[in-house]
Amino acid sequence: MEKLMIHTNSKNYPIYIGEVTDVLSVTISQFQPSSVFIFSDETVARLHLDTLRKSLPTENVYHHIVPSGEGSKSFDMYYQCQTAALEAGLDRHSLIIAFGGGMIGDLAGFVAATYMRGIRFIQVPTTLLAHDSAVGGKVAINHPLGKNMIGAFYQPEAVIYHLPFLQTLSEKEWRSGLGEVIKHGYISGELFLRWLEENVHTFEDLHDNTLLHMIKEGIAVKANIVAQDEKETGVRAYLNFGHTLGHAIEAEVGYGKMTHGDAVAIGMVFAIQVSEYMYQKSLNIERLTALLGRFDYPTIADVPVRKLIDRMRQDKKSYDGDIHMVLMKNVGEMELVKIPEDVIESQLKHFVKGWEK
Ligand SMILES: NC(=O)c1ccc[n+]([C@@H]2O[C@H](COP(=O)([O-])OP(=O)(O)OC[C@H]3O[C@@H](n4cnc5c(N)ncnc54)[C@H](O)[C@@H]3O)[C@@H](O)[C@H]2O)c1
Ligand SMILES: [Zn+2]
Protein backbone atom coordinates (compact mmCIF):
# COMPACT_ATOMS: atom_id res chain seq x y z
CA MET A 1 0.00 0.00 0.00
CA GLU A 2 1.12 3.55 -0.75
CA LYS A 3 -0.11 6.69 0.97
CA LEU A 4 0.18 10.23 -0.32
CA MET A 5 -1.09 13.45 1.19
CA ILE A 6 -2.70 16.15 -0.89
CA HIS A 7 -2.21 19.66 0.46
CA THR A 8 -4.46 22.45 -0.77
CA ASN A 9 -5.55 25.77 0.71
CA SER A 10 -9.03 24.42 1.38
CA LYS A 11 -8.16 20.93 2.67
CA ASN A 12 -5.45 18.32 3.26
CA TYR A 13 -6.44 14.73 2.60
CA PRO A 14 -4.92 11.28 2.15
CA ILE A 15 -4.79 9.05 -0.91
CA TYR A 16 -4.35 5.33 -0.33
CA ILE A 17 -3.36 3.11 -3.24
CA GLY A 18 -3.13 -0.69 -3.32
CA GLU A 19 -5.27 -3.36 -1.67
CA VAL A 20 -7.12 -0.93 0.53
CA THR A 21 -10.68 -2.01 1.24
CA ASP A 22 -9.80 -2.33 4.93
CA VAL A 23 -8.54 1.26 4.90
CA LEU A 24 -11.94 2.25 3.57
CA SER A 25 -13.65 0.56 6.52
CA VAL A 26 -11.38 2.28 9.01
CA THR A 27 -11.70 5.67 7.31
CA ILE A 28 -15.47 5.52 7.32
CA SER A 29 -15.71 4.50 10.94
CA GLN A 30 -13.40 7.42 11.84
CA PHE A 31 -15.70 9.85 10.06
CA GLN A 32 -18.72 8.55 11.98
CA PRO A 33 -21.21 9.56 9.29
CA SER A 34 -24.92 9.53 10.07
CA SER A 35 -25.41 7.67 6.78
CA VAL A 36 -23.40 6.67 3.71
CA PHE A 37 -24.61 7.13 0.15
CA ILE A 38 -22.86 5.42 -2.76
CA PHE A 39 -23.16 6.75 -6.29
CA SER A 40 -22.00 4.43 -9.03
CA ASP A 41 -22.62 3.49 -12.66
CA GLU A 42 -24.27 0.31 -13.92
CA THR A 43 -21.07 -1.41 -15.05
CA VAL A 44 -19.10 -0.70 -11.90
CA ALA A 45 -22.06 -1.57 -9.67
CA ARG A 46 -22.60 -4.89 -11.46
CA LEU A 47 -18.94 -5.86 -11.15
CA HIS A 48 -17.91 -4.45 -7.80
CA LEU A 49 -20.69 -3.04 -5.64
CA ASP A 50 -20.95 -6.22 -3.55
CA THR A 51 -17.23 -6.07 -2.75
CA LEU A 52 -17.50 -2.42 -1.78
CA ARG A 53 -20.54 -3.03 0.42
CA LYS A 54 -18.58 -5.63 2.41
CA SER A 55 -16.21 -2.86 3.56
CA LEU A 56 -19.02 -0.59 4.72
CA PRO A 57 -21.26 -0.57 7.76
CA THR A 58 -24.42 -2.63 7.36
CA GLU A 59 -26.86 0.04 8.43
CA ASN A 60 -27.79 3.41 6.92
CA VAL A 61 -25.98 2.68 3.66
CA TYR A 62 -27.81 3.59 0.44
CA HIS A 63 -26.92 3.64 -3.21
CA HIS A 64 -28.05 5.15 -6.47
CA ILE A 65 -26.89 3.77 -9.81
CA VAL A 66 -26.79 5.79 -13.03
CA PRO A 67 -26.24 4.55 -16.61
CA SER A 68 -22.58 4.13 -17.59
CA GLY A 69 -21.00 6.72 -19.84
CA GLU A 70 -20.42 10.44 -20.22
CA GLY A 71 -24.14 11.04 -20.91
CA SER A 72 -24.81 10.70 -17.18
CA LYS A 73 -22.88 13.88 -16.38
CA SER A 74 -26.10 15.74 -17.15
CA PHE A 75 -28.48 18.11 -15.37
CA ASP A 76 -31.13 15.44 -15.45
CA MET A 77 -28.95 12.82 -13.77
CA TYR A 78 -27.64 15.40 -11.27
CA TYR A 79 -31.24 16.20 -10.33
CA GLN A 80 -32.09 12.50 -9.95
CA CYS A 81 -29.06 12.00 -7.70
CA GLN A 82 -30.12 14.93 -5.49
CA THR A 83 -33.64 13.52 -5.31
CA ALA A 84 -32.32 10.10 -4.28
CA ALA A 85 -30.16 11.74 -1.58
CA LEU A 86 -33.12 13.73 -0.25
CA GLU A 87 -35.40 10.71 -0.28
CA ALA A 88 -32.84 8.71 1.69
CA GLY A 89 -32.79 11.54 4.23
CA LEU A 90 -29.09 12.43 3.95
CA ASP A 91 -28.12 15.17 6.37
CA ARG A 92 -25.09 17.36 6.96
CA HIS A 93 -23.28 14.50 8.72
CA SER A 94 -23.76 12.02 5.89
CA LEU A 95 -20.98 10.87 3.61
CA ILE A 96 -21.11 10.36 -0.14
CA ILE A 97 -18.95 7.77 -1.88
CA ALA A 98 -18.17 8.32 -5.57
CA PHE A 99 -17.60 4.76 -6.76
CA GLY A 100 -16.45 4.54 -10.38
CA GLY A 101 -14.40 6.32 -13.00
CA GLY A 102 -14.07 10.00 -13.76
CA MET A 103 -17.70 10.32 -14.78
CA ILE A 104 -19.03 9.25 -11.37
CA GLY A 105 -16.27 11.15 -9.57
CA ASP A 106 -17.31 14.37 -11.28
CA LEU A 107 -21.06 13.80 -10.96
CA ALA A 108 -21.16 12.53 -7.37
CA GLY A 109 -18.52 15.10 -6.37
CA PHE A 110 -20.73 17.88 -7.69
CA VAL A 111 -23.74 16.41 -5.89
CA ALA A 112 -21.67 16.38 -2.67
CA ALA A 113 -20.46 19.94 -3.28
CA THR A 114 -24.01 21.26 -3.54
CA TYR A 115 -26.23 18.99 -1.41
CA MET A 116 -27.19 21.14 1.59
CA ARG A 117 -24.38 23.51 0.51
CA GLY A 118 -21.81 20.75 0.65
CA ILE A 119 -21.38 17.47 2.53
CA ARG A 120 -18.33 15.23 2.84
CA PHE A 121 -17.40 12.78 0.11
CA ILE A 122 -14.81 10.10 -0.62
CA GLN A 123 -13.52 9.12 -4.03
CA VAL A 124 -13.22 5.37 -4.65
CA PRO A 125 -11.86 5.38 -8.22
CA THR A 126 -12.15 2.31 -10.43
CA THR A 127 -10.45 3.40 -13.67
CA LEU A 128 -6.84 4.25 -14.45
CA LEU A 129 -7.97 7.60 -15.82
CA ALA A 130 -9.36 8.42 -12.39
CA HIS A 131 -5.80 8.68 -11.00
CA ASP A 132 -6.16 12.08 -12.59
CA SER A 133 -9.83 12.92 -12.11
CA ALA A 134 -10.23 11.77 -8.49
CA VAL A 135 -7.46 14.06 -7.27
CA GLY A 136 -7.56 17.83 -7.11
CA GLY A 137 -11.18 18.62 -6.40
CA LYS A 138 -12.56 19.60 -9.79
CA VAL A 139 -16.14 18.32 -9.95
CA ALA A 140 -18.65 19.09 -12.67
CA ILE A 141 -21.46 18.15 -14.98
CA ASN A 142 -21.78 18.98 -18.66
CA HIS A 143 -24.02 21.60 -20.24
CA PRO A 144 -25.28 20.96 -23.77
CA LEU A 145 -23.14 23.96 -24.77
CA GLY A 146 -19.94 22.69 -23.22
CA LYS A 147 -18.22 19.96 -21.24
CA ASN A 148 -17.61 20.46 -17.50
CA MET A 149 -19.13 23.93 -17.71
CA ILE A 150 -21.18 23.65 -14.49
CA GLY A 151 -19.10 22.67 -11.49
CA ALA A 152 -17.04 23.54 -8.46
CA PHE A 153 -13.68 23.12 -6.80
CA TYR A 154 -14.58 20.76 -3.97
CA GLN A 155 -12.01 18.46 -2.40
CA PRO A 156 -12.86 14.95 -1.15
CA GLU A 157 -12.08 13.80 2.40
CA ALA A 158 -9.97 10.95 1.05
CA VAL A 159 -9.23 8.99 -2.11
CA ILE A 160 -9.21 5.23 -1.66
CA TYR A 161 -7.80 3.54 -4.74
CA HIS A 162 -8.31 -0.22 -4.47
CA LEU A 163 -6.34 -1.51 -7.45
CA PRO A 164 -8.04 -4.94 -7.78
CA PHE A 165 -11.14 -3.03 -8.99
CA LEU A 166 -9.15 -2.01 -12.07
CA GLN A 167 -8.56 -5.55 -13.26
CA THR A 168 -11.93 -5.69 -15.05
CA LEU A 169 -11.15 -2.65 -17.24
CA SER A 170 -11.16 -3.14 -21.01
CA GLU A 171 -8.01 -2.44 -23.00
CA LYS A 172 -9.70 0.67 -24.38
CA GLU A 173 -10.13 2.08 -20.85
CA TRP A 174 -6.58 1.16 -19.82
CA ARG A 175 -5.29 3.03 -22.87
CA SER A 176 -7.46 6.03 -22.09
CA GLY A 177 -5.99 6.28 -18.59
CA LEU A 178 -2.47 5.69 -19.82
CA GLY A 179 -2.83 8.79 -22.00
CA GLU A 180 -3.05 10.90 -18.83
CA VAL A 181 -0.19 8.97 -17.22
CA ILE A 182 2.04 9.76 -20.21
CA LYS A 183 0.94 13.38 -19.94
CA HIS A 184 2.04 13.41 -16.29
CA GLY A 185 5.36 11.94 -17.44
CA TYR A 186 5.94 14.82 -19.84
CA ILE A 187 4.90 17.42 -17.27
CA SER A 188 7.04 16.03 -14.45
CA GLY A 189 10.31 15.50 -16.28
CA GLU A 190 12.85 12.96 -17.44
CA LEU A 191 12.77 10.67 -14.42
CA PHE A 192 9.14 9.53 -14.61
CA LEU A 193 9.03 9.62 -18.41
CA ARG A 194 12.10 7.39 -18.64
CA TRP A 195 10.65 5.05 -16.00
CA LEU A 196 7.53 4.68 -18.18
CA GLU A 197 9.63 3.97 -21.27
CA GLU A 198 11.64 1.35 -19.43
CA ASN A 199 8.83 -0.36 -17.51
CA VAL A 200 5.57 -0.08 -19.43
CA HIS A 201 5.86 -1.84 -22.77
CA THR A 202 2.46 -3.52 -23.11
CA PHE A 203 -0.88 -3.61 -21.30
CA GLU A 204 0.36 -6.81 -19.65
CA ASP A 205 2.80 -4.71 -17.64
CA LEU A 206 -0.03 -2.90 -15.86
CA HIS A 207 -0.11 -5.10 -12.77
CA ASP A 208 1.24 -5.33 -9.25
CA ASN A 209 4.13 -3.08 -8.34
CA THR A 210 4.46 -1.54 -11.79
CA LEU A 211 0.84 -0.40 -11.70
CA LEU A 212 1.15 0.76 -8.09
CA HIS A 213 4.29 2.77 -8.78
CA MET A 214 2.89 4.24 -11.99
CA ILE A 215 -0.31 5.43 -10.33
CA LYS A 216 1.53 6.79 -7.33
CA GLU A 217 3.93 8.81 -9.49
CA GLY A 218 1.11 10.06 -11.74
CA ILE A 219 -0.86 11.23 -8.71
CA ALA A 220 2.25 12.82 -7.19
CA VAL A 221 2.68 14.98 -10.30
CA LYS A 222 -0.89 16.16 -10.07
CA ALA A 223 -0.75 16.62 -6.28
CA ASN A 224 2.34 18.77 -6.57
CA ILE A 225 0.69 21.09 -9.06
CA VAL A 226 -2.64 21.25 -7.22
CA ALA A 227 -0.79 22.13 -4.01
CA GLN A 228 0.70 25.16 -5.75
CA ASP A 229 -2.45 26.25 -7.55
CA GLU A 230 -5.74 24.75 -6.35
CA LYS A 231 -8.03 26.95 -8.44
CA GLU A 232 -6.09 27.10 -11.70
CA THR A 233 -4.84 30.66 -11.72
CA GLY A 234 -1.38 29.60 -12.88
CA VAL A 235 0.59 26.35 -13.10
CA ARG A 236 -2.48 24.09 -12.84
CA ALA A 237 -3.13 24.97 -16.48
CA TYR A 238 -0.09 22.82 -17.38
CA LEU A 239 -2.22 19.76 -16.63
CA ASN A 240 -4.06 20.67 -19.82
CA PHE A 241 -1.05 19.67 -21.94
CA GLY A 242 -2.53 17.95 -25.00
CA HIS A 243 -6.06 18.99 -24.06
CA THR A 244 -6.66 22.00 -26.32
CA LEU A 245 -6.80 19.89 -29.47
CA GLY A 246 -7.81 16.81 -27.44
CA HIS A 247 -11.02 18.40 -26.14
CA ALA A 248 -11.79 19.79 -29.60
CA ILE A 249 -11.46 16.34 -31.18
CA GLU A 250 -13.51 14.69 -28.44
CA ALA A 251 -16.31 17.21 -28.88
CA GLU A 252 -16.31 17.02 -32.67
CA VAL A 253 -16.11 13.24 -32.94
CA GLY A 254 -18.76 12.94 -30.22
CA TYR A 255 -18.24 12.04 -26.56
CA GLY A 256 -18.03 8.33 -26.04
CA LYS A 257 -16.96 7.67 -29.63
CA MET A 258 -13.34 8.40 -28.82
CA THR A 259 -11.99 8.07 -25.29
CA HIS A 260 -10.57 11.09 -23.50
CA GLY A 261 -7.09 9.57 -23.33
CA ASP A 262 -7.01 8.75 -27.04
CA ALA A 263 -7.93 12.35 -27.86
CA VAL A 264 -5.34 13.71 -25.40
CA ALA A 265 -2.68 11.48 -26.97
CA ILE A 266 -3.32 13.04 -30.38
CA GLY A 267 -3.42 16.46 -28.70
CA MET A 268 -0.01 15.96 -27.08
CA VAL A 269 1.61 15.12 -30.41
CA PHE A 270 0.11 18.31 -31.84
CA ALA A 271 1.22 20.37 -28.82
CA ILE A 272 4.80 19.19 -29.31
CA GLN A 273 4.63 19.97 -33.03
CA VAL A 274 3.41 23.52 -32.27
CA SER A 275 6.10 23.83 -29.57
CA GLU A 276 8.79 22.90 -32.11
CA TYR A 277 7.50 25.63 -34.40
CA MET A 278 7.10 28.32 -31.72
CA TYR A 279 10.43 27.66 -29.99
CA GLN A 280 12.23 26.82 -33.25
CA LYS A 281 13.85 23.71 -31.81
CA SER A 282 13.55 19.96 -32.10
CA LEU A 283 11.68 18.37 -29.20
CA ASN A 284 11.89 14.73 -30.24
CA ILE A 285 8.28 14.22 -31.26
CA GLU A 286 9.23 10.65 -32.28
CA ARG A 287 9.84 9.85 -28.61
CA LEU A 288 6.16 10.44 -27.88
CA THR A 289 4.87 8.70 -31.01
CA ALA A 290 7.05 5.67 -30.20
CA LEU A 291 5.59 5.47 -26.69
CA LEU A 292 2.02 5.87 -27.98
CA GLY A 293 2.73 3.31 -30.70
CA ARG A 294 3.24 0.60 -28.07
CA PHE A 295 -0.44 0.90 -27.16
CA ASP A 296 -2.07 1.43 -30.54
CA TYR A 297 -3.33 4.93 -29.90
CA PRO A 298 -5.29 6.30 -32.85
CA THR A 299 -3.43 8.94 -34.81
CA ILE A 300 -6.33 9.99 -36.98
CA ALA A 301 -9.54 11.88 -36.28
CA ASP A 302 -11.60 12.65 -39.33
CA VAL A 303 -12.58 16.22 -38.44
CA PRO A 304 -12.37 19.40 -40.56
CA VAL A 305 -9.65 21.84 -39.45
CA ARG A 306 -12.07 24.79 -39.31
CA LYS A 307 -14.34 23.01 -36.85
CA LEU A 308 -11.39 22.10 -34.66
CA ILE A 309 -10.26 25.74 -34.58
CA ASP A 310 -13.76 26.92 -33.61
CA ARG A 311 -13.80 24.38 -30.79
CA MET A 312 -10.34 25.38 -29.62
CA ARG A 313 -11.45 28.98 -29.36
CA GLN A 314 -14.20 27.89 -26.95
CA ASP A 315 -11.65 26.15 -24.72
CA LYS A 316 -11.69 27.33 -21.06
CA LYS A 317 -8.03 28.42 -21.32
CA SER A 318 -8.80 30.70 -24.25
CA TYR A 319 -9.88 34.27 -23.66
CA ASP A 320 -10.66 37.31 -25.78
CA GLY A 321 -11.16 34.91 -28.68
CA ASP A 322 -7.48 33.91 -28.71
CA ILE A 323 -6.37 30.31 -28.47
CA HIS A 324 -4.00 29.53 -25.62
CA MET A 325 -2.13 26.24 -25.58
CA VAL A 326 0.18 24.54 -23.11
CA LEU A 327 3.48 24.21 -24.94
CA MET A 328 6.57 22.25 -23.97
CA LYS A 329 9.98 23.96 -23.93
CA ASN A 330 11.61 20.76 -22.77
CA VAL A 331 10.41 17.61 -21.06
CA GLY A 332 9.24 18.85 -17.64
CA GLU A 333 9.07 22.51 -18.69
CA MET A 334 5.64 23.73 -19.76
CA GLU A 335 4.32 27.16 -20.65
CA LEU A 336 0.85 28.56 -21.43
CA VAL A 337 1.20 30.49 -24.69
CA LYS A 338 -1.16 32.53 -26.85
CA ILE A 339 -0.99 31.13 -30.37
CA PRO A 340 -1.89 33.34 -33.34
CA GLU A 341 -4.78 31.88 -35.30
CA ASP A 342 -2.85 31.70 -38.57
CA VAL A 343 -0.22 29.59 -36.78
CA ILE A 344 -2.89 27.26 -35.40
CA GLU A 345 -4.38 26.91 -38.84
CA SER A 346 -1.16 26.21 -40.70
CA GLN A 347 0.09 23.86 -37.96
CA LEU A 348 -3.20 21.96 -37.95
CA LYS A 349 -3.15 21.60 -41.72
CA HIS A 350 0.39 20.28 -41.52
CA PHE A 351 -0.63 17.95 -38.68
CA VAL A 352 -3.68 16.63 -40.50
CA LYS A 353 -1.49 15.94 -43.55
CA GLY A 354 0.54 13.72 -41.24
CA TRP A 355 -2.66 11.77 -40.45
CA GLU A 356 -3.24 11.13 -44.13
CA LYS A 357 0.16 9.54 -44.72
N1 LIG B 1 -12.20 16.25 -12.40
C1 LIG B 1 -11.07 16.15 -13.06
O1 LIG B 1 -10.05 16.70 -12.68
C2 LIG B 1 -11.07 15.31 -14.30
C3 LIG B 1 -9.86 15.01 -14.94
C4 LIG B 1 -9.88 14.17 -16.05
C5 LIG B 1 -11.08 13.66 -16.49
N2 LIG B 1 -12.23 13.98 -15.87
C6 LIG B 1 -13.52 13.42 -16.29
O2 LIG B 1 -13.45 12.01 -16.16
C7 LIG B 1 -14.33 11.41 -17.10
C8 LIG B 1 -13.60 10.28 -17.79
O3 LIG B 1 -13.22 9.35 -16.82
P1 LIG B 1 -13.23 7.79 -17.12
O4 LIG B 1 -12.43 7.52 -18.35
O5 LIG B 1 -12.82 7.11 -15.86
O6 LIG B 1 -14.74 7.56 -17.53
P2 LIG B 1 -15.95 6.71 -16.95
O7 LIG B 1 -16.14 6.97 -15.52
O8 LIG B 1 -17.08 6.99 -17.85
O9 LIG B 1 -15.45 5.20 -17.13
C9 LIG B 1 -15.21 4.70 -18.42
C10 LIG B 1 -15.95 3.37 -18.64
O10 LIG B 1 -15.34 2.37 -17.85
C11 LIG B 1 -16.34 1.69 -17.08
N3 LIG B 1 -15.67 1.24 -15.86
C12 LIG B 1 -15.31 2.00 -14.80
N4 LIG B 1 -14.64 1.26 -13.90
C13 LIG B 1 -14.60 0.00 -14.39
C14 LIG B 1 -14.03 -1.21 -13.94
N5 LIG B 1 -13.35 -1.26 -12.79
N6 LIG B 1 -14.18 -2.31 -14.71
C15 LIG B 1 -14.83 -2.25 -15.89
N7 LIG B 1 -15.39 -1.13 -16.38
C16 LIG B 1 -15.27 -0.02 -15.65
C17 LIG B 1 -17.44 2.69 -16.89
O11 LIG B 1 -18.67 2.05 -16.65
C18 LIG B 1 -17.41 3.42 -18.24
O12 LIG B 1 -18.16 2.71 -19.18
C19 LIG B 1 -14.80 12.51 -18.03
O13 LIG B 1 -16.10 12.89 -17.67
C20 LIG B 1 -13.83 13.65 -17.74
O14 LIG B 1 -14.41 14.92 -17.96
C21 LIG B 1 -12.24 14.78 -14.77
ZN1 LIG C 1 -7.63 14.93 -19.22
Side-chain angles (χ1 to χ4, degrees), residues 177-199:
L178 204 48
E180 298 283 16
V181 175
I182 293 171
K183 177 196 80 177
H184 287 138
Y186 269 92
I187 292 174
S188 80
E190 275 301 332
L191 207 61
F192 184 34
L193 189 59
R194 211 173 300 140
W195 181 89
L196 285 172
E197 290 173 324
E198 286 167 7
N199 292 280

Side-chain angles (χ1 to χ4, degrees), residues 41 70 73 101-103 106 126-127 129 133 138 147 165 168:
D41 75 48
E70 186 68 18
K73 263 173 69 175
M103 182 279 284
D106 281 10
T126 63
T127 62
L129 189 128
S133 59
K138 278 192 185 178
K147 189 171 151 71
F165 286 144
T168 49

Side-chain angles (χ1 to χ4, degrees), residues 277-288:
Y277 174 81
M278 294 294 283
Y279 300 124
Q280 289 294 303
K281 67 193 273 201
S282 166
L283 288 162
N284 200 356
I285 225 169
E286 298 75 21
R287 185 178 185 188
L288 175 59

Side-chain angles (χ1 to χ4, degrees), residues 7-19:
H7 301 278
T8 70
N9 287 337
S10 61
K11 192 176 284 171
N12 298 333
Y13 56 95
I15 301 190
Y16 299 94
I17 316 160
E19 300 218 4

Side-chain angles (χ1 to χ4, degrees), residues 129 132 180 183 239-240 243 247 260 264:
L129 189 128
D132 185 0
E180 298 283 16
K183 177 196 80 177
L239 295 170
N240 291 310
H243 282 57
H247 278 154
H260 181 66
V264 168

